[in-house]
Amino acid sequence: MDRREFIKNSCTACLSATVLATTFSSCTPTKYISGVLGKDGLFLDVNEFVTTQNGKAAYRSFVIIRNDALQFPVCVYRFNDNEYTALWMRCTHQGTELQASGDRLQCTAHGSEFDNKGSVRTGPADRSLRSFPVTVSNNQLFIDMRAI
Ligand code: FES
């Protein structure tokens, strides 16, 4: 195998791996909900995370709350029955709305990327995303937004 063929084969393998990884990480379509806006924050049912995969009950890793009363959506990640994060989907670099992709939030403006806890993975953003306290009670999540 000559150098040119090796490079061509390597690039094809890398591209295939990237496409497959993207495909598998996005098997479950993103779920958008409006939540219920109360005086101090948002309420949503924990069942919003329930889905089916291969005929079995499973949990989505996140849902996105889009509510007309909010300037930006809130991405809620589920880690287990009692652990969630609620992240304001506004890039901390220059304020562009973020896109959720698996366990990452990405900014299409200049390429910043954040993890599912809101920490910067890739700049130019240099500050974590704004996050809100989440409490779980009686199968309901309450996202405390008093700090907006
Ligand atoms: S506004 Fe998001 S990276 Fe610049």
Side-chain angles (χ1 to χ4, degrees):
M1 179 183 307
D2 68 7
R3 184 170 180 264
R4 179 175 295 211
E5 191 175 338
F6 174 78
I7 291 171
K8 183 177 157 192
N9 288 342
S10 298
C11 288
T12 302
C14 286
L15 186 61
S16 299
T18 302
V19 169
L20 283 175
T22 303
T23 301
F24 286 125
S25 71
S26 61
C27 281
T28 306
T30 299
K31 183 169 184 176
Y32 295 92
I33 59 174
S34 60
V36 176
L37 193 59
K39 183 171 82 65
D40 296 328
L42 284 161
F43 294 90
L44 66 145
D45 198 300
V46 295
N47 290 323
E48 298 287 4
F49 289 87
V50 175
T51 186
T52 52
Q53 282 180 345
N54 301 324
K56 294 181 178 176
Y59 289 98
R60 298 170 190 281
S61 61
F62 68 91
V63 298
I64 295 177
I65 300 173
R66 274 193 187 280
N67 189 301
D68 290 342
L70 300 174
Q71 194 177 6
F72 286 88
V74 175
C75 189
V76 184
Y77 281 98
R78 180 190 186 279
F79 298 97
N80 59 50
D81 288 348
N82 298 305
E83 189 183 0
Y84 297 82
T85 57
L87 303 172
W88 191 233
M89 294 178 72
R90 180 181 193 270
C91 183
T92 56
H93 179 230
Q94 291 181 357
T96 300
E97 184 174 316
L98 300 171
Q99 305 294 312
S101 176
D103 61 356
R104 303 276 170 97
L105 292 163
Q106 298 164 329
C107 182
T108 56
H110 312 106
S112 288
E113 203 171 273
F114 303 85
D115 67 18
N116 55 13
K117 302 267 187 178
S119 299
V120 177
R121 298 294 298 255
T122 307
D126 59 1
R127 288 177 291 126
S128 296
L129 296 177
R130 177 173 233 169
S131 66
F132 304 100
V134 180
T135 52
V136 187
S137 175
N138 298 325
N139 284 335
Q140 285 265 310
L141 299 186
F142 172 63
I143 299 169
D144 189 336
M145 303 189 79
R146 285 175 283 192
I148 270 189

